[in-house]
Structure formats: C-alpha cells, structure tokens
Amino acid sequence: MNIKSPLIVFLAILTFLSCKKETNSLDDVYIGGQVVNPGSEYVIISKNDKDLDTLYLNENNRFSGSLKNIEPGLYVFRHPPENQVMYLEPGDSALIWVNTLAFDESINFSGKGAYKSNFITNIYLLNQKNNDLILSYYKVEPIEFAQKTDSIREVRLQELDQLNQKKDLSEEFYQLAKTSIDYEYYDLRERYALLIHKYQREYIDKIPGDFHDYRENINFNDEQFQDYYVYLNLIDDYVRTISVEYCNENNISRDSCSNLMSVENIKRRILITDSLIQNKNIKNPFLEKLAAQGIIFSNNLEEIESILKLIEEINYEGNALPDLKQMADIQGSLLPGNKIGELKLVHTNGETVQLKNISKKPIITFHWSIKEQVHHKLAHKLITDLRFKYPEINFIGVNVDKGQNEIWKRVTKNNSYEPEFEYKLDTVRVKESLLKNYLNKMIFMNASGEIIKGDVQLNAPDLETIILEFISQRNR
C-alpha cells in the first residue's frame, strides 16, 4: 500500500477516538493506527507476556480498539512477527503507524501521551546502535571508555529532563525512563568488560576499582521491565561477563572456560542465572535459552545429557523441559558423522527437495528467522561475502520459522536475498520460543548430507579459518 500521508490516517483515527470518548471512561486507553506492508491480519497488545487485546486490520490495514482499567507501565505492541514496547497511562491514546519493511526504525506514536512511547523507543534504537559503538571503543583503555559511557548517560538524562520540563511527566514514567537510561549505561560497561576479558586482557588490571559499582543497583527481578529489550540484554551481558571473569579470577586458561558457546561456560551461566533471579517470568526464559544453546552446541551425547541433568537438578519450574528433551534428540542426530541428506526443505519456488539433492559441492547451512530482522540482515550480508570468497562451498540459508511460507518468501524478496540459495524447513518440531537458539549455528557437511562439523557459530571470530580447514580436509 502506498501511504501518501500518515498524518491523514492519524487525523481520521483521532476523530473516531474523540467520538468514542463521549461514551467511554476518560481513563480508557484508545488505540488505533495503520500497518504498511502487513505480515499478518492483526495486531496484539500485551503486558507481562499476557495478551490483552487482538485488533484486526480492515481493508485499509487500519485497526482500532481500547483498553480499560490499565495500570501505568510498559506494554507490547505486536504485529507478528515484529514487536515494540510502548508506555501507556490511563487516559492516553496511542496512534501507531509502522512499515514492516523497517519495523523498529519506522514505528511512530501519535496521540495523547505519545511522547512517552517515542522516548522509550528511541532509547531502544540507540541501544541497538551501541553495537557499533562498542566495536569502535572496546580497544580504548578503561578510563577513557568510562568517560565515554558517563557522557552518553548524561546526554540521555538531559534529554529526559528537557522532556519533563515540556510535558510535566508523571513520577512513574520519569522513574521508569531514568531507569531505562541507567540500564543502557550498565549494559555498555558490561559489554566492554566482556570484550576486555576475552580479547584485551592486558587492560584487565587497568579497570578502575569503581568501574562496576553500578552492579549493586541492578534489580534482576524488575517485573516492570520484563518485556523490555534493553533490560533483558543487560542481564544477558552481565551473566556472560561474570562467567568470563570467573575464568580469569581463577587462572583458568582453557578455551572452554571463556568460550560463550562451550558447554562448560553455558552450564556456569545456568547456575549464575538460577542464583541471581527469583522472578520466574524473567528467570525461566533465560534458563530455557541457555539450556537450548547448551544442547545445540554440544559435541557429543554426554554433553547433551549433562545439560538436561543440570536443568533438572536446579529444579527448573518452567514448561519447556519436554521441548528441551526434543531438542536433545534433534541435536543427537546433528552430531558429526551423522547423515541428514534425507532432510526435506522447501525452496523459494515452492518445491520440496531433500538436502542431498541440493548441491554437488560441500554445503554449509546458516539459519535465520523473519522475527529477528537485524540478525537475518547481518547474516545474509556476511554470507554474501563468504560466497564470493569461497565459491567451492554452497552456502544455504535455512529459515526456521513454523509456517509463514508467504511471509518468508516476501521477506526474502524484499531484502534481495538470492532465491536460489534460500530454503525453509519443511517441518519444524521445536517450539518457536526455542527456535532462535539455532540462529547462530552453522552446519558443515559434504554434498550427501554427512555432517563434518556442527558446532560452528555464525559470529565466530575465526569463522574463515574454520571454513579454510573444511575446504582443506575435502581436498586431501
């Protein structure tokens, strides 16, 4: 759909909502908007992992509805497979315009109280950009990096204070926004510390004594942020850093101690997470993610079993154990030496083929999901470069989403991914919440589908060295 003026849409919706206010409580929250290039027929409003309302798109891809008796706080606007957080208080109206081709970058909130959602979304987008900042600054000395993060935090707080002066923010929102800025600041320091302990160890002794003083202020059971990426990313990075600090503090030099995808390191992070977090809604997703990663990157049946045993020993109270056991069975079939040539894949042309019939060259598969936009764009960019460098290898993209075949084809086309190399799992036997753990996994195999190596990460710093070794083995 070609939208000439999103403002016209918002004015129409605003008129509708103004009429609705005459017959409804002034504390109701009115929600409306438009989705350009929709990927599904509805949007969902949720909070703390509970769906509050489903609003269906009309023939013009517009939606409208209302929420009653809400509490101030963060809510999630979902248009499967995408989502973004927004902040709502009683009496607000949320008018949302978004283009799915650039969901996070295009989403815009209008209406009463919209400045709160736009501020929180902007913090999220800035946090995403911090990936590039970290790569630019992690080689500088700790004192200089500390000054950089102090400066970033000060700018964010000044922006919040300016917004407060203009809008007279509620105390609830002001404190939530300030805490989100703090969490971004904490996360920057955790990510820097992780890189220092892994790649710039000569800087470890130069880290100031007060560099991590903020750790005392982290609330690992902050229920109001359990849907917020910045907060969840902080917890994830904190646990990673602690696991690597353990290796250095105990003079453990073996790679398996600090390798974040080694079973040894993942088991340590499971124990750290279990002791750190009491809130089950926050703890269980982390435990499930770590257990899934441990299974996926296991090199033998003993390692797989050790992950399941640990999850049972810590008295995990979630519902994913059957799925983890299913993943364990799947991983057992993906160990080196096993043959998966009979695996059925769906090509972008709609044809179902067996993996062994795809190529006469050795194959390396990489995996992606339409739900992880940033990841699949970076992955395909990397793979395009590798295809050029190593034409003797057939790099195959495998989409792991359940169903959604038409959306997968559209995303492939819209991003100009090479259709001849794009496939989709014919049958997905794992829960969607666990699928994302496959996204950094690559599988090296010969043309018949015999697995040569199955524990390689897409973001491994020595990926090209591993590929060259794979090519060398084939030529012997």
Side-chain angles (χ1 to χ4, degrees):
M1 175 180 286
N2 181 21
I3 304 299
K4 294 183 178 179
S5 176
L7 180 59
I8 295 175
V9 176
F10 287 137
L11 290 175
I13 295 170
L14 186 58
T15 300
F16 168 78
L17 295 181
S18 297
C19 295
K20 294 288 285 183
K21 283 188 178 183
E22 295 177 4
T23 57
N24 289 280
S25 167
L26 292 175
D27 285 340
D28 291 354
V29 172
Y30 299 91
I31 296 175
Q34 186 169 39
V35 179
V36 180
N37 299 304
S40 53
E41 299 176 346
Y42 53 87
V43 300
I44 299 170
I45 310 301
S46 63
K47 182 175 177 60
N48 295 345
D49 209 29
K50 293 181 181 178
D51 293 344
L52 303 180
D53 202 357
T54 299
L55 307 176
Y56 287 87
L57 306 183
N58 66 15
E59 65 276 8
N60 296 313
N61 298 328
R62 299 173 189 169
F63 58 91
S64 64
S66 62
L67 299 176
K68 299 180 182 294
N69 303 317
I70 75 158
E71 297 179 355
L74 290 175
Y75 290 75
V76 179
F77 170 80
R78 282 196 288 139
H79 178 66
E82 305 286 359
N83 67 80
Q84 186 54 268
V85 296
M86 56 185 179
Y87 187 91
L88 299 176
E89 293 178 307
D92 281 348
S93 59
L95 308 178
I96 306 161
W97 186 89
V98 65
N99 187 330
T100 63
L101 297 183
F103 191 91
D104 292 327
E105 294 79 7
S106 72
I107 194 166
N108 181 275
F109 296 93
S110 184
K112 182 182 177 183
Y115 53 85
K116 294 172 288 190
S117 295
N118 286 323
F119 186 88
I120 292 296
T121 300
N122 189 50
I123 293 295
Y124 164 82
L125 292 173
L126 291 170
N127 186 264
Q128 292 283 79
K129 292 181 180 179
N130 286 342
N131 292 323
D132 295 332
L133 184 144
I134 288 291
L135 291 176
S136 300
Y137 279 92
Y138 86 91
K139 292 184 179 181
V140 305
E141 294 202 5
I143 291 179
E144 183 179 348
F145 188 82
Q147 293 170 344
K148 179 65 177 177
T149 54
D150 287 342
S151 175
I152 290 172
R153 181 171 179 267
E154 185 58 34
V155 169
R156 305 276 198 269
L157 290 173
Q158 288 175 4
E159 291 172 350
L160 177 60
D161 286 336
Q162 290 170 3
L163 183 63
N164 190 28
Q165 291 173 13
K166 286 178 60 179
K167 299 293 185 180
D168 190 21
L169 304 175
S170 67
E171 182 64 20
E172 292 91 346
F173 177 74
Y174 183 87
Q175 289 303 324
L176 182 141
K178 182 178 181 300
T179 302
S180 71
I181 292 170
D182 288 340
Y183 285 157
E184 181 206 17
Y185 167 76
Y186 302 161
D187 188 42
L188 277 170
R189 292 205 170 193
E190 290 300 332
R191 289 158 74 179
Y192 173 83
L194 175 63
L195 291 171
I196 291 302
H197 281 273
K198 284 180 68 65
Y199 304 115
Q200 298 283 113
R201 298 187 62 181
E202 66 272 18
Y203 284 170
I204 293 176
D205 292 336
K206 295 183 179 181
I207 295 177
D210 61 354
F211 189 85
H212 290 303
D213 281 357
Y214 61 84
R215 285 179 173 175
E216 298 178 2
N217 300 322
I218 302 176
N219 179 358
F220 294 100
N221 298 281
D222 202 335
E223 187 173 355
Q224 67 174 335
F225 282 104
Q226 69 181 55
D227 293 320
Y228 192 38
Y229 167 85
V230 176
Y231 172 65
L232 299 176
N233 207 46
L234 164 63
I235 294 178
D236 194 22
D237 288 326
Y238 172 88
V239 173
R240 291 176 183 220
T241 306
I242 294 296
S243 74
V244 175
E245 285 179 354
Y246 171 88
C247 303
N248 293 324
E249 290 167 359
N250 291 276
N251 296 316
I252 302 173
S253 59
R254 59 179 181 273
D255 291 340
S256 59
C257 186
S258 59
N259 179 355
L260 296 175
M261 286 298 106
S262 72
V263 170
E264 179 183 349
N265 183 281
I266 290 172
K267 287 166 70 174
R268 187 178 309 113
R269 280 149 62 200
I270 288 174
L271 292 173
I272 294 170
T273 300
D274 184 55
S275 64
L276 202 64
I277 307 172
Q278 286 74 50
N279 185 303
K280 295 176 185 177
N281 292 332
I282 299 174
K283 177 194 286 193
N284 287 341
F286 278 106
L287 291 178
E288 291 158 9
K289 173 185 174 182
L290 287 167
Q293 288 178 346
I295 290 169
I296 288 171
F297 288 99
S298 289
N299 292 300
N300 51 59
L301 294 174
E302 290 75 18
E303 288 185 343
I304 295 173
E305 286 299 320
S306 72
I307 293 290
L308 292 176
K309 181 180 179 182
L310 179 58
I311 286 295
E312 292 176 340
E313 286 177 349
I314 64 173
N315 296 318
Y316 159 74
E317 298 179 83
N319 301 315
L321 192 56
D323 299 294
L324 292 171
K325 290 181 177 179
Q326 189 178 53
M327 290 184 73
D329 291 338
I330 293 172
Q331 178 60 20
S333 67
L334 295 177
L335 295 174
N338 290 339
K339 297 181 179 180
I340 57 172
E342 306 293 323
L343 179 67
K344 291 183 179 180
L345 300 171
V346 179
H347 190 253
T348 48
N349 63 13
E351 185 179 336
T352 300
V353 298
Q354 290 186 320
L355 192 148
K356 65 181 180 182
N357 296 326
I358 287 178
S359 172
K360 293 183 179 180
K361 298 188 290 187
I363 295 172
I364 296 178
T365 63
F366 67 101
H367 310 89
W368 63 280
S369 167
I370 57 180
K371 299 176 177 64
E372 301 292 333
Q373 186 181 102
V374 174
H375 174 273
H376 70 68
K377 288 183 177 181
L378 289 174
H380 280 86
K381 183 179 180 181
L382 172 64
I383 293 298
T384 297
D385 181 57
L386 294 176
R387 282 198 186 108
F388 177 77
K389 290 181 178 178
Y390 309 105
E392 59 269 63
I393 301 293
N394 199 342
F395 293 89
I396 298 296
V398 179
N399 178 268
V400 299
D401 295 304
K402 288 186 179 182
Q404 305 187 70
N405 285 35
E406 293 307 313
I407 300 176
W408 160 63
K409 291 178 184 177
R410 185 162 66 246
V411 170
T412 299
K413 181 179 179 180
N414 289 342
N415 286 281
S416 300
Y417 299 154
E418 298 182 61
E420 64 180 296
F421 300 117
E422 294 294 334
Y423 293 81
K424 193 178 193 309
L425 289 177
D426 184 44
T427 303
V428 180
R429 294 182 286 160
V430 180
K431 227 179 207 178
E432 285 196 35
S433 59
L434 299 174
L435 281 174
K436 64 175 60 178
N437 296 288
Y438 287 89
L439 300 187
N440 277 327
K441 182 181 177 69
M442 303 180 78
I443 301 177
F444 292 50
M445 65 193 84
N446 61 27
S448 66
E450 179 181 353
I451 297 173
I452 308 301
K453 197 168 183 61
D455 62 343
V456 181
Q457 299 174 66
L458 184 67
N459 56 357
D462 57 345
L463 177 59
E464 292 199 49
T465 300
I466 298 172
I467 292 173
L468 288 171
E469 290 175 353
F470 177 55
I471 294 172
S472 175
Q473 290 173 358
R474 171 177 172 261
N475 293 331
R476 286 175 187 170

